[in-house]
Amino acid sequence: MIVKVQVKPLEGIVLNGEEISLNCSREAVEEILGRPEQWKNSYYYYNNELRFDFNNNNELEFIEFLAGHDSRLQPEIYGICPFLVAADEVYTILSEHNNGEIDDSENGYSYGFLETSIGIFRQNIPEDIIEMEQEAKESGEPLTREEYEDEMKKANYWATFGLGVEGYYK
């Protein structure tokens, strides 16, 4: 079952009708979602599909959706689910709403939208998969059609989506 999670840039998320605000306490997150899996300064929920990072004052500073296209949790922002819409289209929509500087220093693998504190990431871009396919052919072990399509799917959609407090990506 897919769970849509409303994303409110610079504010937080609404999950199952419950609002989780950026800058809220660890206790507030636990009160809403229950006991987390924990590693260092992060809480994990939904089989590690959702991560919450806290600052040194134990205030929520970053929320990240980690499971991409096949995730049970689907963030929804500006009328789209960014894991289910082609990467280039998501970039365009997020850019239009950012109204300012975008950190594009990772050349298509990730972007930080500095005004809205939204970040997106993918491990590969389509050009990588084309190169991977060529190298596999040259090595005598070409990718199967299924492997190629799976890799292209990963490259054509974002793998993670995050939102942070104001200035998080600056």
Side-chain angles (χ1 to χ4, degrees):
M1 179 175 116
I2 300 254
V3 176
K4 290 193 178 178
V5 182
Q6 185 64 42
V7 172
K8 296 179 176 184
L10 303 172
E11 293 179 31
I13 61 173
V14 178
L15 173 61
N16 294 327
E18 296 279 351
E19 192 158 334
I20 302 172
S21 299
L22 291 166
N23 291 314
C24 75
S25 67
R26 288 177 183 272
E27 293 79 17
V29 172
E30 284 187 53
E31 192 173 299
I32 293 168
L33 295 177
R35 188 170 178 84
E37 293 292 323
Q38 188 173 354
W39 190 73
K40 293 189 178 182
N41 224 15
S42 298
Y43 280 4
Y44 292 85
Y45 290 93
Y46 291 90
N47 295 318
N48 298 323
E49 289 187 19
L50 183 60
R51 183 179 100 205
F52 295 92
D53 288 348
F54 298 89
N55 64 22
N56 292 333
N57 296 322
N58 291 316
E59 297 169 332
L60 181 60
E61 68 176 357
F62 183 69
I63 302 168
E64 187 171 30
F65 297 85
L66 299 166
H69 193 271
D70 297 322
S71 178
R72 192 173 111 205
L73 293 178
Q74 290 295 328
E76 189 175 89
I77 184 170
Y78 310 129
I80 63 161
C81 291
F83 292 151
L84 303 178
V85 174
D88 291 343
E89 187 177 340
V90 172
Y91 172 84
T92 298
I93 291 167
L94 294 177
S95 297
E96 290 169 355
H97 286 87
N98 185 61
N99 294 322
E101 190 178 352
I102 299 168
D103 177 354
D104 62 355
S105 61
E106 294 191 29
N107 300 316
Y109 295 91
S110 73
Y111 295 97
F113 298 88
L114 305 184
E115 300 305 314
T116 55
S117 289
I118 297 291
I120 50 179
F121 168 82
R122 60 185 166 182
Q123 200 164 10
N124 290 305
I125 57 176
E127 292 83 357
D128 294 339
I129 307 311
I130 293 167
E131 185 178 312
M132 177 192 298
E133 179 187 36
Q134 186 60 38
E135 288 173 1
K137 281 181 186 175
E138 289 170 4
S139 74
E141 296 182 29
L143 298 175
T144 66
R145 179 180 180 96
E146 183 179 280
E147 290 170 330
Y148 177 79
E149 288 174 358
D150 185 54
E151 292 299 328
M152 277 304 249
K153 179 175 139 184
K154 291 177 195 172
N156 282 313
Y157 293 91
W158 297 106
T160 70
F161 177 92
L163 66 145
V165 295
E166 186 173 352
Y168 185 82
Y169 286 96
K170 290 186 179 179

